Amino acid sequence: RAVFKELSALSALSEDQEHLVGDQLPLLAPADLFDVVLRFVNIAFSVWHLSVYPSPTYFKVGEQEEEVRLEFLEQPLKNILELEWNDPTRSVESKVTEFMQLVVKLNSELE
């Protein structure tokens, strides 16, 4: 019992000693606050990025209409690129009109 009392007396710190220990080992360092803020910004950016650029979806492509995984804006661009400019049965005006309609549709999806 005497040894226990001696050990507890040695382990007890005075107020000055506690103050010195508290100054040397801060409970919350500025780097910790920066880390928390940086993590929050990273999570917010990830959520924003997912809302702006959704994951790929399946679109029917080609004459066989096979399903292909395309990104959100790839399908409208693919429609523009598949426009038949070499079709001699259609007038240039109808081709340009269809092209402009596809571009306006793509523009409206971007807004």
Side-chain angles (χ1 to χ4, degrees):
R1 210 173 199 195
V3 173
F4 179 72
K5 284 184 179 180
E6 192 71 31
L7 287 175
S8 64
L10 288 174
S11 65
L13 298 174
S14 70
E15 284 185 31
D16 291 338
Q17 290 171 330
E18 285 180 9
H19 183 67
L20 288 173
V21 170
D23 287 346
Q24 296 301 316
L25 302 171
L27 191 57
L28 192 60
D32 295 332
L33 290 174
F34 179 73
D35 180 53
V36 169
V37 169
L38 200 58
R39 287 173 190 255
F40 175 75
V41 168
N42 193 13
I43 290 170
F45 174 77
S46 298
V47 169
W48 172 82
H49 191 273
L50 284 173
S51 69
V52 173
Y53 302 106
S55 63
T57 55
Y58 288 94
F59 290 99
K60 292 184 179 181
V61 176
E63 294 176 7
Q64 293 87 15
E65 293 191 3
E66 63 180 274
E67 288 194 347
V68 178
R69 241 179 121 166
L70 296 176
E71 293 290 334
F72 175 65
L73 293 175
E74 285 182 339
Q75 180 63 34
L77 291 175
K78 185 180 174 318
N79 291 340
I80 291 172
L81 292 174
E82 285 182 340
L83 191 60
E84 290 292 329
W85 289 103
N86 296 330
D87 186 6
T89 60
R90 293 180 57 197
S91 68
V92 175
E93 290 176 10
S94 67
K95 294 175 193 176
V96 171
T97 303
E98 183 179 353
F99 173 75
M100 289 307 297
Q101 288 172 349
L102 292 171
V103 170
V104 168
K105 184 178 178 183
L106 173 63
N107 192 31
S108 67
E109 289 181 11
L110 290 175
E111 292 177 352

